[in-house]
Amino acid sequence: MAPDPLLNRREFMGRAARAGAALLAAGGIAFLTHDPSGPQPASEELAASGLPDFSLPEAGRKMCIARGADRLRTLPLALQALGGIETFIRKGDRVLIKVNAAFASPPLLSATTHPELVSELTRLCLKAGAAAVHVADNPINDPASCFALTGIGQAARSAGAEVVLPEERFFHPLTLPDAHLIKNWPVLLDPLVRATKLIGLAPLKDHHRSGASMVMKNWYGLLGGRRNIFHQDIQTIIAELARMVKPTLVVLDGTTTMVSNGPTGGSLADLKDTRTLILGTDQVAVDAYGATLLGKTAADLPFIAKAEALGAGSADYRALSPIEVSA
Amino acid sequence: MSDLCSNNAHLSGRPRSRRQTLIGLFVFAVLAAAAFWICWAQSRFNPAVLNYLAGAVVATQPPASAEPFLELPEGLSPLSPPERFDRETLADKINGKAELYLSAGFVRLHCQRLALAGRPQDWLEAFVYDMGTAPNAYAVFSQQRRSDGTPLGFAEFAYRAENALFLAHGSFYLELIASSKDSRLLDAMEALARGFMAQRPAAGAAIAERDLFPREGLDEAGIRLIPADAFGLAGLDRVFTAAYAADGGEMTAFLSRRESPREAVDRARAYVDFLKAYGGEVSLADKPVGGTSVIAILDTYEVVFALGPFLAGVHEAPSREEALALAVRLAEKLKEAPHGP
Amino acid sequence: MRIVTARRASQVFFVVAFLWFCTAATLGERPWQLRGWPVNWLLELDPLVGIATLLSTRTLYAGLFWGLATVALTLLLGRVFCGWICPFGAMHQFIGWLGRRSRKLPAQLEMNRFRPAQAVKYYVLIFFLAACVLLPREWMSSGSLQIGLLDPLPLAHRSVNLILLPLADRAGLGLAPLPRFYEGAGLIGGVFLCALFLNLWIPRFYCRFICPLGALLGVLSRWALWRVARTEEGCTDCRRCERSCEGACAPTAKIRISECVMCLNCLDECRHDAITYRTQPSAAGEALLPDLSRRGFVVSAVSGLLAAPVLRLDGTSGPNWYAGLIRPPGALAEEDFLARCIKCGQCMRVCPTNVIHPAGLEGGIEGVWTPKLNFRVGTSGCQHTCIACGHLCPTAAIRPVSLDERLGRSGFAGRGPLRIGTAFVDRGRCLPWAMDKPCIVCQENCPVSPKAIFTREVFNPVRTSVALTVKGTDRGRLLLAADALEGGRFGTGDYHALLPGGRRLRIAAHTAAELELERPLAAAEAPPPGSPVSVQVRLQQPYVDPKLCIGCGVCEHECPVLGRRAIRVTAENESRSERHRMVL
């Protein structure tokens, strides 16, 4: 190729321009991405600091103890006694029902929330005008089989609610201010922040480690990560959970109570027909009363006093003048 | 531009070497600049090196006592944050020696490493033991007295060793241990000790019992206070001892002020019984006082007597005569002592 | 002065600087120790480190900004870095020169002819860069930085730090107080020597066929303003220029710009002034980019992109994590760590106690030659007041932490000290637990305060050849009925005599039939003749408090059970990973 000065110059200019552009691009990227200090130690401020407050101050501090063997009757009865479902659920609300689906256990063993309660509560919420009802939990065993074998999934869907299976992306770190344990811990946040009302639906059970598993312990199912570690200080974690979650309403199902070998039970001999359903807006009071059905007192369950000390409610359920009804 | 493009002005031939030389020199200049920069950079120490040089000392407790416990004289600066130990944690700091202090009524230890300003390799560690009472402080001071110390002029219970300074002042026992024998460091320690004393005018109580020992043959610096379990007998506490020369060795005079004459008699009897149980042969004497026991045990002689509120006697003397002689002199001095509480 | 003289001077300068930086990477203030020497400068000049970490972390860390200088230099002048700066390249060039100088021209031409296999390094580059790419975490686990395996600067640093300098120390250089050991040295040394020896077959073998940095710089040379070119007239095809061509770029033919390492030997050799360095393209034509097949490109790129996600399907970045892998204090959580570590060995070199070693497969394939701690080797455990490794890491795979953060004081008091693991007592091997031998070396050496190892006292009976019975007492000493005690064994202060009635007294000294106790027995205490007495050993059995243990490994290092230590650290409770928490 014979050298053509003009061509060469043009070619050179072209090349120089490209080189210059490449250099500028490289320099620009280098400046924009330059990080002089490097990765920092995990900062706790990035975590969310709390959940939405679902409680209704105007509903007051109320409690109802409904006696009866049939949940489909005691639940509406108890709600009626508290002023009706409309006191709590308004038109357009998105209700989240936090059930206990921890184990893939049949309803017969009373280790999980009874499906009848799920379907009945869903029906009532939808009747009150709720825009949507979701049922959620982060089970210990495999979620799909838990929701299926407990009957909760089927009951929810048949009544018109949607089951939310826990996925990794729904969990976000949360730090409860001044807490010892809930610090930068993954919590099932997404379904909660999408809801406008939160109802806790828990079976009444003995618990080998904490003494009892009732409505406050139910919130353990919102924790993600390797939450087993909290069993080392279970009383404190239950109290902090009670402080973290402010529900609209809690339902403690003592129709068939697991009085021994909780939380998994396994034998019908562990169960006792206590035929009581407890509803209330004060989760500490509800648990304090529930303890009596297990033959325990609040003194036997340190988490009750701890939760009260953290301001989650009052253990003196008698002061709420609970309404007693029978079905 | 055309120069670079034309056929002739390329890097070849004779003209080449000039251009090549110029470029070569330019490259050398760049390399020299790089070398300069490297040599300059080496003076700005990496933080890891600074940390390493600081001796990397540890403060393992939160500085709960933010008040400085030592006023530092000019020329001394802290090398590490102050540390604090109580009865539970004392062993973490001084290991097996903790027993000595704990049995003497130890309350708290503050310690800190200090260094000569600007010279971190010349450092000392200051230990301030709060022993609760002046006798306790004297007890630990006297029990660890090194024989090769030089007394310090400005304090009664203080002496200086080659690389350390020891001081008992009021209820405090101060130990300053230097990392080297550097004289500047030792001078700084003296200044520190003086400052310490000035900050805390002594709670007065001179150790009266020291003056009760017969003067002749007495090594002042060798007077010890055993706070507990003297001579192996539990319950024999607060015993002062002083060493005296004897033919064939050494013997020890001892005395202890008890609450009451009755207690002194009881203690004397307990000690005699103790010696008897170990094979001592007891005989009575009426010198220096009536009821004096002389015990021959394991090739030595003990003399035990009670005089007023004092339990006193001689310990491990080589012969009976010498033991009694010293006991007599001791009793003379005790008679002069105030017998009140 | 010829230009090649300047080039040689530059190569010597950078090789000396490189060796000096490696040597100086030891903690201290003496002139030959770290002080402030910029020991990572060459790694920072390496643009492949910068670009790869940019892809895997989306940031350009601190000193890696220097890579921009090399990029600028290459964009304007070509692969000057390869020919004038890279110390590894200089080593190859030197050995290659040794190998070919005695050969005749035809043999030399054969060594330096272009080979199509020179395209391999581009595929290597594409594969590694694709493997670095950090995809959104929700999609899949990605971003594995593996360029350190073959990038010449980390490779050279690793080889000198872990192989040559320890060898030199033993041969008399004596930089380290004790000889340093590094696990897996065989493979590292083998790779290094192999690379060097291959130059005797084909000069600059590594540079031509393997080096991904060379490939990157080759691509960036595309728009170089000046390039080596053959002039239009003067060339007689004598091919002398090619006898010393380092890049095997065929200067007489269509010159391959991406292969030219700017050694300028061709220019120097040519006797007809027919080779020059100019802005015009070569008279014989030039090939700007390497010949890569699209197929090859796609295969390298896709396999690179899939490499990390596929490897991590084994759960080792999740529940199946490597518990035996203890990383240095300040190391990031594993996925982030693997996105930054270039396996340069600087941390291993600077560690004052020689406990940081190159991993084998303990961290999986991705973890090969990344730093891990081995407490059996070295002079002590990980000193808990040392912060050296993080302050030397060029890419912040180990964060530079302050002493306050390391110890968990001042602003970090809420977090507590940095933990790299937890020690576990192996009760089946520990002397006081399993062998009735007193020992509390681990507790004595635990450096934290309060100590993380505490002991509980037990008294275990000692087997004697015959049962011991009392004969009587003599001046406070206990006499035995038979000569039952081995001389000297029980006088160490750990043995006690258990008298009838339960009283236990320490044995101060003894002979075969006589026991001198801690204090003489009073007459009342003497056991009746014929009564049994036994000897017990006082044992202090160690326990670890997981809330206090920082995993420093001093206990493991000091444990006298030298084979498999009776107290060993594993990575539970390490601060860098929330998921590995063991206690609240």
Side-chain angles (χ1 to χ4, degrees), chain C residues 508-573:
Chain C
H510 73 99
T511 62
E514 193 176 300
L515 286 168
E516 185 183 329
L517 302 169
E518 58 181 293
R519 58 169 174 76
L521 284 175
E525 291 176 305
S531 50
V533 68
S534 60
V535 177
Q536 292 188 323
V537 61
R538 172 177 174 262
L539 298 168
Q540 290 166 290
Q541 294 178 330
Y543 292 74
V544 175
D545 184 346
K547 281 198 134 74
L548 298 173
C549 179
I550 58 171
C552 71
V554 174
C555 54
E556 181 175 343
H557 186 265
E558 299 301 324
C559 178
V561 182
L562 293 175
R564 190 160 158 74
R565 305 278 158 125
I567 181 168
R568 295 186 296 279
V569 179
T570 44
E572 284 85 353
N573 243 10

Side-chain angles (χ1 to χ4, degrees), chain A residues 1 3 8 11-12 14-16 18-19 22-23 26-27 29-31 33-44 168-169 181 183-185 226 229-230 232-233, chain C residues 54 58-63 65 68 71-72 75-76 222-227 232 279-281 283 285-286 332 340 396 399-400 405 412 415 578-579 581-584:
Chain A
M1 216 177 350
N8 284 333
E11 195 262 335
F12 175 77
R15 216 182 330 130
R18 286 191 194 84
L23 190 51
I29 294 175
F31 269 102
T33 57
H34 191 229
D35 173 21
S37 53
Q40 297 304 311
S43 166
E44 288 173 4
E168 181 96 30
R169 59 196 170 96
L181 302 176
K183 286 202 286 210
N184 218 22
W185 197 268
R226 314 223 20 109
I229 208 177
F230 293 127
Q232 294 172 20
D233 195 354
Chain C
L54 190 56
R58 302 189 190 132
T59 62
L60 187 68
Y61 175 63
F65 201 85
L68 186 62
V71 167
L75 281 172
L76 298 176
R222 195 195 185 296
W223 296 301
L225 302 184
W226 291 268
R227 57 275 306 272
E232 286 66 27
T279 56
Q280 273 167 278
E286 57 183 23
L332 302 178
R340 282 180 184 260
R399 275 191 298 122
E405 184 177 354
F412 297 94
R415 276 180 248 258
E578 269 292 316
R579 282 141 132 243
R581 257 214 282 181
M582 189 176 75
V583 289
L584 287 175

